[in-house]
Amino acid sequence: MIMKKFAYPIKARILASALSVAAIAVSAAESGKSIVSGELWPDDKGIHINAHGGGVLFHQGVYYWFGEHKVAGGAGNTAQVGVGVYSSRDLCQWKNEGIALGVDDDPKSDIAKGCILERPKVIHNAKTGKFIMWFHLELKGQGYGAARSGVAVADQVTGPYRFLGSFRPNAGVWPSNVSDGMKKPLAPEESDRLSKVAMPGNFVPEFARDWVFRRDFAGGQMARDMTLFVDDDGAAYHIYASEENSTLQISRLSDDYLKPAGKYIRVFPLAFNEAPAMFKCRGKYYLFSSGCTGWAPNAARLAVADSIWGPWQALGNPCSGPADRIGKTFDSQSTFVLPVEGKKDAFIFMADRWRPDNAIDGRYVWLPVRFGKDGRPFLEWMDRWDMDAFNNR
Ligand code: GAL
């Protein structure tokens, strides 16, 4: 192996690295004022932005982009470093602000190096002045079985964030939109039967019995792909793929944003949505999501509701364009919707083009959310665009 590594002549290596630096410098100059989805996106040091499954917080005139800091190769699918943060005033040029939350070298920690820490989102609590980060956490060595939520807090937006702990949300609380007849833990024989069912991440008849949230009543609901949403009145919500990925749940956070407040609903039971990303426009709540096909892209979905507590109405695939592109959300999966400050009804759909074989090379797809004549949001591919796309609409 070592021989192979050094078989590449040193001169060629220097030339190749000079060429790639030049290529990055050119694309940096070009992309300085526009968004170019799917390409390398250099930061202030010319290095591809490393903030996957991310979300953006606007605070005091500056945007902060938080995301998974991945490393090269397949190891990048586990957390070797933590959550990175970048800052920007124009959404095109980003400065690397370092690691906001680092993984822990202590193997006993819930966020031990090598755990799976995905889709971090940060919100600011105006009452406490704190910055609060939530993320999907899988304990080291347990694959995707733990399905927990991690919470961390900081006094400064860029951190350092202090890890507070992890849990499955809403333990001991029934969803508020199920019938009273369903509000009972599984009987021992139901429990026994469910424990023997393989959960492949897609439909199995046992799901139809709505058994999974009842199974998880005492220990808390499973929480994988997630986002956070803060409403106009300051109320914050945690939206996550639950019940073995079969059902989304929307859960109100406590006033300090550090824990569930004790009210949640099930959304689209058994529809297998993940990658939730919410925004609010003209009084309506919109929710992007995807189907469950792991790192491989599938068709996006959009839903709308007049109240965050529903009822939610599915609007289908929001993408417009050639069938092969829109069937896979332009080769990406949603992670967040970013409201653009100072522009009316201006939102950016943020998505990831995963590269699981070389995780650090994952790309970003950012597209302006457009609105049809009927007011319905849609997405269309754009090779290159800038914030002027939101003018004169
Ligand atoms: C995707 C999910 C990603 C990651 C991946 C692992 O479905 O959206 O965040 O968990 O699966 O396969």
Side-chain angles (χ1 to χ4, degrees), residues 1-10 13:
M1 287 305 281
I2 290 179
M3 286 300 293
K4 206 170 173 191
K5 194 167 169 195
F6 288 100
Y8 189 22
I10 185 123
R13 271 190 283 146

Side-chain angles (χ1 to χ4, degrees), residues 114-185:
C115 69
I116 293 173
L117 194 169
E118 293 180 338
R119 298 181 177 267
K121 305 287 179 289
V122 172
I123 53 180
H124 178 243
N125 189 300
K127 286 186 200 140
T128 63
K130 305 279 186 199
F131 298 89
I132 294 107
M133 179 189 293
W134 283 64
F135 50 88
H136 166 203
L137 177 70
E138 297 292 349
L139 303 174
K140 187 177 178 180
Q142 297 186 19
Y144 278 86
R148 295 168 80 84
S149 301
V151 182
V153 65
D155 294 322
Q156 306 294 328
V157 59
T158 53
Y161 283 75
R162 187 165 54 87
F163 177 59
L164 297 180
S166 81
F167 50 87
R168 282 189 172 187
N170 291 308
V173 182
W174 291 112
S176 57
N177 63 342
V178 301
S179 65
D180 284 348
M182 278 192 192
K183 294 181 181 170
K184 52 172 192 270

Side-chain angles (χ1 to χ4, degrees), residues 168-225:
R168 282 189 172 187
N170 291 308
V173 182
W174 291 112
S176 57
N177 63 342
V178 301
S179 65
D180 284 348
M182 278 192 192
K183 294 181 181 170
K184 52 172 192 270
L186 289 188
E189 60 277 13
E190 293 171 327
S191 210
D192 185 51
R193 184 155 153 202
L194 191 57
S195 70
K196 295 191 179 105
V197 176
M199 295 290 181
N202 46 42
F203 184 77
V204 290
E206 271 67 15
F207 282 127
R209 299 173 194 275
D210 282 314
W211 277 1
V212 182
F213 77 87
R214 290 172 53 207
R215 177 196 70 189
D216 294 336
F217 173 73
Q221 299 294 313
M222 298 177 82
R224 292 200 182 113
D225 280 8

Side-chain angles (χ1 to χ4, degrees), residues 42 61 86 138 197 228 280 290 307 310 332 355 390:
Y86 293 78
E138 297 292 349
V197 176
L228 298 179
K280 187 179 184 183
S290 75
S307 158
S332 71
R355 295 261 165 102
F390 294 115

Side-chain angles (χ1 to χ4, degrees), residues 53 68 70 77 116 118-119 136 138 144 224-226 245 274-275 290-296 298 333-334 352 354 356:
E68 304 161 31
K70 295 191 180 266
N77 300 317
I116 293 173
E118 293 180 338
R119 298 181 177 267
H136 166 203
E138 297 292 349
Y144 278 86
R224 292 200 182 113
D225 280 8
M226 57 142 280
N245 279 4
E274 62 177 12
S290 75
C292 299
T293 53
W295 300 116
N298 58 57
Q333 186 184 31
S334 45
D352 293 280
W354 305 110

Side-chain angles (χ1 to χ4, degrees), residues 50-130:
N50 198 338
H52 309 268
V56 174
L57 171 69
F58 181 77
H59 184 69
Q60 294 182 345
V62 180
Y63 295 93
Y64 295 90
W65 177 357
F66 296 83
E68 304 161 31
H69 180 106
K70 295 191 180 266
V71 301
N77 300 317
T78 58
Q80 302 297 320
V81 179
V83 176
V85 53
Y86 293 78
S87 64
S88 175
R89 285 182 184 275
D90 63 7
L91 292 170
C92 294
Q93 303 180 73
W94 292 88
K95 176 172 180 251
N96 187 342
E97 299 280 0
I99 298 302
L101 172 70
V103 292
D104 200 327
D105 286 330
D106 177 355
K108 291 198 286 296
S109 165
D110 282 5
I111 56 165
K113 185 175 176 182
C115 69
I116 293 173
L117 194 169
E118 293 180 338
R119 298 181 177 267
K121 305 287 179 289
V122 172
I123 53 180
H124 178 243
N125 189 300
K127 286 186 200 140
T128 63
K130 305 279 186 199

Side-chain angles (χ1 to χ4, degrees), residues 24-42:
I24 286 175
V26 170
S27 72
E30 280 177 4
S31 70
K33 288 209 164 51
S34 52
I35 307 280
V36 186
S37 291
E39 302 296 324
L40 289 171
W41 192 342

